[in-house]
């Protein structure tokens, strides 16, 4: 549905996108993930036809954004981070105005507006002045706006930014629902958003794509595997035995009292973590260490992203160093 090839954007010396290429398939809900300043909004605005690229090519449903901009815009419902609503208008009035602007034929405007209001869950506030709405409802009006011309592709820039936890849950549910009928491409810096909504993630950092794939693919990219062993070690030999085993990179030992220890083992051998764990258990048991538990720790998505973004080039990018553990905004 979306094909981006070697896209670059230079804001007069500040390079926001460098040779970015990716695809979003029809029917997918894809997340565009990256820290603040990574270039997400810039890419989305280019795809939606609001700003031009410095170089590269974007096609939407086979139409080139440079040579067929109207064909592309007809296929896209774009929700910017702060939806530019007219606060003095009533919801229904605003959506009718937007439907007319988007060239929805006059005879279909009433049904298009009521369908969009129903899809976005704003029917009950149809007569309310936008300025009187809560932020969550305003966000939904932004969604209704993106939906009013029934575009096959929805592009949503940080759709839950600034909402409270209940509103976030509601908007995420809505997006999942919309994903049944539309291709959705949304940006976020909140990893749980990707986990709860998206089929696939495209990770951007400092203007470059650093990874893409399903969440499982991304977790598998983790540079190391970690496992935890709970042992009863009267002879005090377990840590040395584990440390000297092939495949073990580092080990952390936590004393739990009464000869019980928690051994946290890190290995860079990602191909056979189960085999490594079995061999460690065998070595310990053969040496009279009691093993009470052994767990292979699943890579947390936060760790994966922080490894991906830290592993990137040290060359100073537009956003500088990013801290994934404390997403701002
Ligand atoms: P956020 O999550 O904070 O919205 P983002 O990933 O969407 O970040 P962009 O808004 O695309 O990132 O910004 C990428 C870089 O380009 C940033 O360094 C930003 O300051 C810069 N930038 C964005 N818009 C402009 C502009 N109009 N003129 C100059 N620089 C800009």
């Amino acid at each position: 549905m979306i094909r981006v090839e070697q896209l670059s954007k230079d804001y007069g010396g500040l390079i926001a996108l460098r040779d970015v290429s990716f695809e979003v398939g029809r029917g997918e809900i894809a997340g565009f993930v990256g820290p603040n300043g990574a270039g997400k909004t810039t890419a989305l605005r280019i795809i939606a036809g609001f700003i031009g690229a410095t170089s590269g090519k974007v096609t939407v449903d086979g139409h080139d954004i440079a040579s067929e901009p109207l064909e592309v815009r007809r296929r896209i419902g774009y929700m910017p981070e702060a939806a530019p609503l007219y606060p003095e208008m009533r919801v229904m009035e605003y959506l009718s105005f937007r439907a007319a602007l988007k060239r929805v034929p006059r005879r279909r405007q009433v049904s298009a507006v009521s369908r969009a209001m129903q899809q976005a869950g704003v029917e009950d506030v149809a007569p309310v002045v936008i300025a009187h709405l809560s932020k969550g409802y305003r966000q939904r009006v932004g969604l209704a706006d993106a939906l009013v011309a029934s575009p096959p592709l929805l592009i949503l820039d940080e759709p839950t930014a600034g909402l409270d936890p209940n509103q976030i849950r509601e908007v995420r549910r809505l997006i999942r629902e919309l994903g049944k009928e539309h291709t959705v491409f949304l940006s976020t810096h909140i990893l749980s958003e990707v986990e709860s909504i998206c089929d696939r993630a495209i990770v951007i950092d400092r203007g470059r794509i650093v990874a893409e794939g399903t969440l499982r693919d991304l977790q598998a990219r983790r540079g190391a595997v970690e496992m935890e062993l709970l042992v009863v070690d009267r002879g005090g030999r377990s840590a040395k035995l584990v440390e000297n085993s092939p495949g073990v990179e580092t080990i952390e030992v936590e004393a739990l009292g009464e000869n019980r220890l928690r051994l946290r083992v890190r290995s860079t051998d990602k191909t056979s973590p189960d085999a490594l764990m079995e061999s460690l258990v065998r070595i310990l048991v053969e040496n009279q260490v009691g093993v009470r538990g052994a767990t292979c720790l699943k890579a947390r998505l936060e760790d994966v992203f922080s490894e991906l973004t830290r592993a990137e080039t040290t060359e100073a990018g537009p956003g500088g160093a990013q801290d994934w553990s404390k997403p701002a905004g």
Side-chain angles (χ1 to χ4, degrees), residues 11 14 16 35-42 81 158 189 318-319:
Y11 286 115
L14 192 148
N36 290 127
K40 304 180 294 295
T41 299
T42 299
E81 193 175 341
E158 308 230 2
H189 57 250

Side-chain angles (χ1 to χ4, degrees), residues 24 185 219 235 280 301:
V24 175
F185 188 39
Q219 278 168 336
L280 292 178
L301 211 51

Side-chain angles (χ1 to χ4, degrees), residues 242-263:
V242 170
E243 198 172 9
N244 293 335
S245 301
V248 172
E249 194 188 48
T250 59
I251 171 171
E252 279 171 38
V253 182
E254 185 188 345
L256 303 173
E258 297 171 9
N259 300 319
R260 290 184 308 127
L261 301 175
R262 189 197 314 275
L263 308 178

